[in-house]
């Protein structure tokens, strides 16, 4: 497993950058639209430093946030301490996906964002995640888009790397933290969710036009224009297929009912 104790600070810096914010804004927008207004039970697997956990709790839901890294979980705890109004809505648990056990409890939403790219076994991980989704609940997965590997390198002008990745049809490339990370396609993730009884919803491509902009530092108005453009493209082919990340969602049919 990647040692997140050593890359935690770099991840936090990326997460706060405009590119990081774009990702969180797009994912939260799509996910929260699938949740009912009242408080529902959300599981955030691999919560990292808690950005999505805090956003979901601020939207009025009850979040169980889990991570195997004590350092990352500690970062979430510190951010939570600065938002006392949210503390009652969040429970923190130090555990990896493979060690989660809730004695029959299921969640109305199970999120696993930015984690599968670091793990070896996507089918096994999706099976575990799907098993935690309650009837009527959604599974939300954000991971590296295998279909677009090489696109960032080409836009940055690193042509040797881009050609190698494109010609090999590589499933792995170097991620934001300088680590090799694996990609999956939206189609494969949807197929796996369906194998576990979930109905795939529309997926989105995340960070299509701004992924390679390391130095991007827009003012408020420029960010708003960029966000609106990314949002428009995120749900439309062929643009969404070139997102750095894919965000797939799938819903378990309610008990005794159709979707
Ligand atoms: C890139 S961070 C993403 C954090 C957060 N979900 C987000 O989207 O901002 C990846 C997180 O996955 C966690 N992780 C690593 N292996 C894991 C595993 N086996 N199960 C659950 N989480 C894991 C790491 O500790 C790290 O906090």
């Amino acid at each position: 497993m990647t040692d997140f104790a050593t890359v935690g600070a770099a991840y936090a810096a990326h997460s706060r950058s405009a590119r990081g914010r774009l990702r969180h804004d797009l994912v939260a927008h799509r996910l929260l639209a699938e949740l009912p207004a009242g408080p529902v039970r959300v599981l955030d697997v691999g919560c990292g430093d808690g950005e999505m956990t805090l956003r979901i709790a601020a939207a009025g839901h009850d979040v169980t946030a889990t991570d195997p890294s004590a350092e990352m979980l500690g970062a979430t705890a510190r951010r939570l301490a600065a938002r006392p109004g949210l503390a009652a809505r969040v429970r923190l648990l130090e555990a990896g996906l493979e060690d989660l056990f809730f004695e029959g409890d299921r969640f109305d939403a199970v999120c696993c964002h930015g984690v599968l790219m670091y793990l070896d076994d996507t089918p096994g991980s999706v099976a575990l995640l799907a098993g935690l989704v309650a009837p009527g609940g959604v599974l939300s997965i954000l991971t590296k888009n295998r279909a677009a590997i090489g696109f960032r390198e080409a836009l940055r002008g690193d042509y040797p790397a881009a050609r190698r990745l494109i010609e090999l049809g590589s499933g792995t490339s170097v991620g934001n933290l300088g680590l090799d990370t694996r990609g999956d396609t939206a189609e494969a993730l949807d197929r796996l969710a369906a194998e576990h009884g979930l109905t795939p919803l529309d997926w989105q491509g995340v960070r299509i036009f701004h992924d390679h902009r390391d130095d991007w530092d827009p003012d408020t108005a420029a960010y708003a224009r960029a966000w609106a453009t990314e949002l428009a493209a995120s749900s439309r082919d062929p643009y969404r297929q070139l997102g750095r990340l894919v965000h797939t969602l799938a819903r378990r049919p309610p008990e005794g009912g159709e979707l």
Side-chain angles (χ1 to χ4, degrees):
M1 191 183 87
T2 302
D3 179 7
F4 272 87
T6 57
V7 295
Y11 178 71
H14 164 68
S15 194
R16 308 280 178 279
S17 70
R19 285 159 73 234
R21 179 179 161 205
L22 188 61
R23 159 203 167 159
H24 294 307
D25 285 352
L26 285 160
V27 171
H29 183 265
R30 179 77 187 83
L31 171 65
L32 292 175
E34 293 295 338
L35 303 187
V40 296
R41 299 158 302 168
V42 180
L43 177 66
D44 189 6
V45 177
C47 64
D49 68 350
E51 180 66 30
M52 202 53 61
T53 292
L54 293 175
R55 288 178 183 231
I56 296 167
H61 303 295
D62 298 321
V63 190
T64 300
T66 74
D67 203 289
S69 159
E71 287 75 11
M72 296 304 268
L73 215 54
T76 298
R78 283 191 296 279
R79 296 183 71 193
L80 206 51
R83 307 272 302 271
L86 301 183
R89 292 198 179 285
V90 180
R91 163 169 74 134
L92 301 180
L93 202 61
E94 190 179 322
L97 167 61
E98 51 291 337
D99 298 321
L100 293 177
F101 179 66
F102 294 104
E103 290 198 344
D105 272 0
R106 296 291 177 268
F107 295 85
D108 304 304
V110 174
C111 305
C112 187
H113 299 161
V115 177
L116 291 193
M117 58 252 251
Y118 300 101
L119 308 184
D120 293 330
D121 177 15
T122 296
S125 298
V126 174
L128 291 173
L129 292 165
L132 295 167
V133 179
V138 292
L139 173 60
S140 169
I141 293 177
L142 178 77
T143 194
K144 183 175 195 163
N145 180 13
R146 180 175 179 135
I149 285 178
F151 193 54
R152 170 192 285 182
E153 290 75 7
L155 289 176
R156 280 179 174 166
D158 186 354
Y159 299 118
R163 272 191 62 184
R164 196 172 58 248
L165 293 167
I166 292 165
E167 289 175 359
L168 282 175
S170 180
T172 302
S173 67
V174 179
N176 280 320
L177 305 178
L179 307 167
D180 271 353
T181 49
R182 256 180 354 89
D184 286 297
T185 63
E187 291 74 17
L189 292 167
D190 279 352
R191 201 167 46 244
L192 289 169
E195 281 172 14
H196 296 285
L198 280 70
T199 304
L201 307 174
D202 288 340
W203 63 270
Q204 66 171 345
V206 172
R207 233 168 41 216
I208 300 164
F209 307 118
H210 297 82
D211 181 65
H212 62 299
R213 301 277 309 272
D214 296 309
D215 55 349
W216 190 42
D217 186 20
D219 63 21
T220 305
Y223 180 84
R225 288 192 296 271
W227 144 261
T229 307
E230 290 271 356
L231 182 64
S234 66
S235 58
R236 291 179 166 88
D237 288 322
Y239 310 102
R240 66 177 182 165
Q241 293 161 10
L242 290 175
R244 174 66 169 182
L245 304 164
V246 280
H247 181 203
T248 62
L249 296 108
R251 188 178 294 281
R252 186 175 293 292
E255 245 155 19
E258 297 286 314
L259 273 185

